[in-house]
Amino acid sequence: MDCFEITGPGRLSGRIQAAGAKNAALPALAATLLSEGTVELRGLPLVRDIRTMARLLEHLGTSVESDGDSVRLTPSGTAVADDADYELVKTMRASILALGPLVARLGHARVSLPGGCAIGVRPIDQHLAGLEALGAEVTLEHGYVTAKADRLVGNRFRFAVPTVTGTENLLMASCLARGTTVLENCAREPEIADLARLLTSMGANIDGAGQDRIEIQGVDRLGSASHRIIADRIEGGTYLVGAAITGGDVTLEHASSADLAPLLEVLEQAGCTVEAEPDQVRVAVDGPLEATSIETSPHPGFPTDLQAQYMALMTQAQGRCSVHETVFENRFQHVPELVRMGAAIEVDGGYAWIEGPSRLSGAHVMATDLRASASLVLAGLVASGTTVVHRIYHLDRGYEGMEEKLRRLGAEVERTSE
Ligand code: EPU
């Protein structure tokens, strides 16, 4: 298992490019199952979750030709397998995104239930209720969900909670349903609008993606397309928080400042200088930071995927503030590790109270999930001495070449084997 050794304190400065968005690339890959032709996806992040999804598609009969950050995918049509087994699904919950496309295209699908995960229970009841509303017969047996339908039929479905992959699953499935589907209380994350752009270029008829009501007119078939994935607002946002926590100056290129707005507004309130152009953002700090409370919520609120990184930042701000996590019930696993480095944080239910600034000192810390790991790396950048972040396989799921990007910005980071 690899770990990161970070020598601090350091200061991040310079320019880097955001990678393609992992959480846009995953549904885009799943969407290719709907196509009768070849779909080219460009700008994929070179991270483990993407390789896992590509392996799942190969298992389902898709021919996958990769060339750097581009991939050409040709599903094999009706003869493909319809199952996503536990071994693949357990390493990546996003495998559930195969369910909607498979049942829509083939009339049957069998996907292992994802089970628990480090950040919470994460049920998929809304994915299943939505598919049932489109006429699928859904059964749960032996840890698998099976969905069957001769052809899905358009309907009105209201999500009980806005769910990102739930919205994506239903959006994909309804593209091939007969008639009109209206989805209400949809998640509005930018990755959903990106998926809709891909589906539209494959021939789908979608109105309102990125808003809370999406209307889809089903079509009989979807075909070839070429699509570039949007920039990763979470990966990019992590480096901008890195600029802030180290009193640095980082310009993020190939980024959407509109998609980053919920983070940028808070960074500005906390005392950072933020210069936003449509496709690049600069964050710089030349004075003390002010403790600024946040609450996570679905887009356009503050993203839960930046909560852990932001909490690391608040350990360096002056005063007391709270971080209220409202999306997942167990997303404070970075807290004990930050405390071991010298942070003053108390957790009370969904609230974490942070008192700053704290002098962090390097320590051995354990990564528990993708974004918690990023938070520990950021803390390591500002801590004095050596921080060893163990189990960075979590980071490798979603951050492309993080150590190289950090080194390019002036950090001392080495990847070593334990
Ligand atoms: N929920 C339900 N029922 C469902 C689905 C969701 O109750 O059927 C609840 C969840 O338990 C949670 C809330 O709804 O409390 C929101 O969960 P959501 O379904 O939106 O999460 P997700 O689709 O499983 C995606 C991202 C996550 C990100 C969340 C929230 C992908 C592949 N994953 O997960 O990304 O945290 O949306 O924005 O898009 C990450 O990249 O580190 C990551 C965890």
Side-chain angles (χ1 to χ4, degrees), residues 226-247:
S226 176
H227 177 74
R228 172 165 283 279
I229 302 294
I230 53 169
D232 197 319
R233 65 199 165 98
I234 306 301
E235 187 230 15
T238 300
Y239 293 109
L240 296 178
V241 175
I245 197 172
T246 60

Side-chain angles (χ1 to χ4, degrees), residues 22-23 122-126 163-165 305 327-328 371:
K22 166 182 81 80
N23 288 350
R122 299 181 77 180
I124 54 160
D125 57 300
Q126 295 302 301
T163 147
V164 176
T165 49
D305 288 346
V327 179
F328 292 112
R371 309 302 172 185

Side-chain angles (χ1 to χ4, degrees), residues 164-238:
V164 176
T165 49
T167 302
E168 291 164 347
N169 235 337
L170 268 282
L171 174 59
M172 291 187 281
S174 48
C175 286
L176 288 183
R178 191 168 57 236
T180 305
T181 299
V182 176
L183 302 175
E184 293 171 339
N185 197 26
C186 296
R188 292 178 284 165
E189 271 64 5
E191 292 75 18
I192 295 166
D194 196 47
L195 172 64
R197 280 189 288 275
L198 165 63
L199 292 166
T200 302
S201 57
M202 288 163 65
N205 201 335
I206 301 166
D207 192 26
Q211 297 164 34
D212 66 354
R213 181 182 184 280
I214 307 179
E215 189 168 323
I216 304 110
Q217 306 287 340
V219 295
D220 289 337
R221 58 185 54 86
L222 295 171
S224 302
S226 176
H227 177 74
R228 172 165 283 279
I229 302 294
I230 53 169
D232 197 319
R233 65 199 165 98
I234 306 301
E235 187 230 15
T238 300

